Amino acid sequence: MYTSQEQAGRNATASRQTERSAPGSPQSAPADRQGERSDPGSRQGAPAGGRGLHALIRTKDGWAVQHAIVTVTDLTGQQVARAEADAEGVVSTGPLAPGVYTAVATAAGYTPAAMTAIATGSGAAELGTVVLARQGGVDLPPPGIWTLDPAHCTIAATAQHLGLSTVRGRFTQFAGRIEVGTDPETSSVAADIVAASIETGNGTRDDHLRSADFLNAAAYRMISYRSTGLTPAGPDRWIVHGTLTLAGVQRPVDLDLAYLGTGPDPWGGLRAAFRAETELRREDFAMTYNQVVRAGVNLIGSTLKVELDIQAVQGASLP
């Protein structure tokens, strides 16, 4: 049995022990703080919860760079955060301690971009839209397969006539695809043209062009081009190296290619536009037919200027 004084002392001791073990008591706080420091996703001094660094990673023509990585370092060079862009090109980290940071955005095939990020008292740092340029200062559409849309393409050839003017023709039947690599220089082009689809607006001339004097369309139905490499030639410009098979003859042919941009179409697809040109010597493809109309002047010029205006739809087939 305890006296009333002894019982009061025992009750006071039990109360103090209960207070020390309570989750919100000062004695429990060091353990909580130790747990916070061991969390790899947190930074000492950063506000708990909320948003940290936020950015949109885009190409020059506004499309998401889905595989981009943003690395954040403090003024001592220590990495404090790292995040990968999602399917929309959005990068988000956890809250940062207030201060100044360096953020570097990188992605395969693109030139890294570094910028200063300032974290506010809430731990947020807004970078806005970060534009990544293709390595070498040149651009191409997003990686993947793109299919030529013949209804919105033109493949034309121009020849000199009588040394005075030009005759322009175009092919109306063709198919092709472009495969853009994550590394632009691994991209490829393949196209096939029906030789007999040449049209110049004059039936007699078209029949002659289809004959053995020129395209020999009866014996060689298709004209084909296969790329073998790609070399940057300046902003938005490339030299496409490849092999042209024409009238049964194969010759290396380079295309001077300009990338014109990418955008949505009214049918829910994504389209990329290109313009390319090259010059062919007829004799390289055994097209030696000609007539001398007067001294030093031939009926047909010895070279052909080939111009291509291309729209390609993203995907392996047309919608």
Side-chain angles (χ1 to χ4, degrees):
M1 297 293 293
Y2 298 103
T3 66
S4 59
Q5 290 180 341
E6 290 173 334
Q7 184 64 47
R10 288 176 59 84
N11 291 342
T13 301
S15 176
R16 285 194 298 270
Q17 289 175 342
T18 301
E19 289 175 357
R20 282 197 297 269
S21 62
S25 67
Q27 285 79 2
S28 65
D32 292 342
R33 286 193 294 269
Q34 185 177 4
E36 289 174 0
R37 285 195 297 270
S38 65
D39 180 2
S42 66
R43 172 169 167 77
Q44 189 172 2
R51 184 157 105 170
L53 181 138
H54 183 265
L56 301 175
I57 312 301
R58 295 288 187 264
T59 63
K60 191 181 75 172
D61 48 356
W63 299 103
V65 183
Q66 300 179 2
H67 55 289
I69 299 290
V70 173
T71 303
V72 184
T73 58
D74 61 19
L75 294 180
T76 69
Q78 180 181 358
Q79 178 178 312
V80 298
R82 186 176 185 272
E84 182 175 356
D86 64 16
E88 301 299 323
V90 177
V91 173
S92 296
T93 73
L96 302 172
V100 179
Y101 299 89
T102 298
V104 179
T106 59
Y110 293 85
T111 300
M115 60 227 82
T116 298
I118 300 176
T120 64
S122 67
E126 294 291 340
L127 289 182
T129 300
V130 178
V131 177
L132 293 185
R134 284 282 188 178
Q135 287 180 341
V138 290
D139 280 303
L140 280 178
I145 296 174
W146 298 75
T147 301
L148 269 60
D149 179 6
H152 297 92
C153 295
T154 302
I155 299 179
T158 304
Q160 193 174 41
H161 184 250
L162 297 175
L164 297 173
S165 60
T166 58
V167 174
R168 185 179 177 87
R170 68 187 185 96
F171 293 93
T172 60
Q173 297 178 42
F174 51 86
R177 59 188 272 165
I178 302 165
E179 187 164 354
V180 179
T182 302
D183 178 356
E185 295 183 19
T186 65
S187 303
S188 62
V189 177
D192 295 294
I193 304 167
V194 177
S197 70
I198 184 69
E199 291 184 359
T200 66
N202 182 286
T204 300
R205 180 168 56 216
D206 293 348
D207 288 342
H208 192 195
L209 290 174
R210 296 173 186 129
S211 73
D213 286 339
F214 294 98
L215 297 174
N216 199 3
Y220 304 102
R221 181 175 178 271
M222 304 301 294
I223 301 168
S224 66
Y225 184 80
R226 300 290 184 270
S227 68
T228 57
L230 201 65
T231 302
D236 304 319
R237 300 190 72 85
W238 299 84
I239 300 298
V240 181
H241 310 288
T243 300
L244 178 66
T245 303
L246 173 60
V249 179
Q250 289 188 341
R251 291 285 185 270
V253 170
D254 290 347
L255 300 175
D256 183 0
L257 175 73
Y259 167 52
L260 305 179
T262 308
D265 63 24
W267 307 282
L270 181 63
R271 291 176 179 256
F274 306 86
R275 181 173 176 80
E277 61 180 39
T278 191
E279 189 170 275
L280 306 178
R281 293 181 59 84
R282 291 195 298 116
E283 65 181 22
D284 289 344
F285 297 91
M287 297 182 189
T288 57
Y289 172 86
N290 220 329
Q291 293 179 2
V292 178
V293 294
R294 62 180 183 274
V297 178
N298 291 325
L299 177 67
I300 307 169
S302 61
T303 60
L304 295 172
K305 183 178 181 181
V306 179
E307 298 172 292
L308 303 93
D309 288 292
I310 301 298
Q311 270 193 31
V313 180
Q314 189 177 45
S317 61
L318 294 174

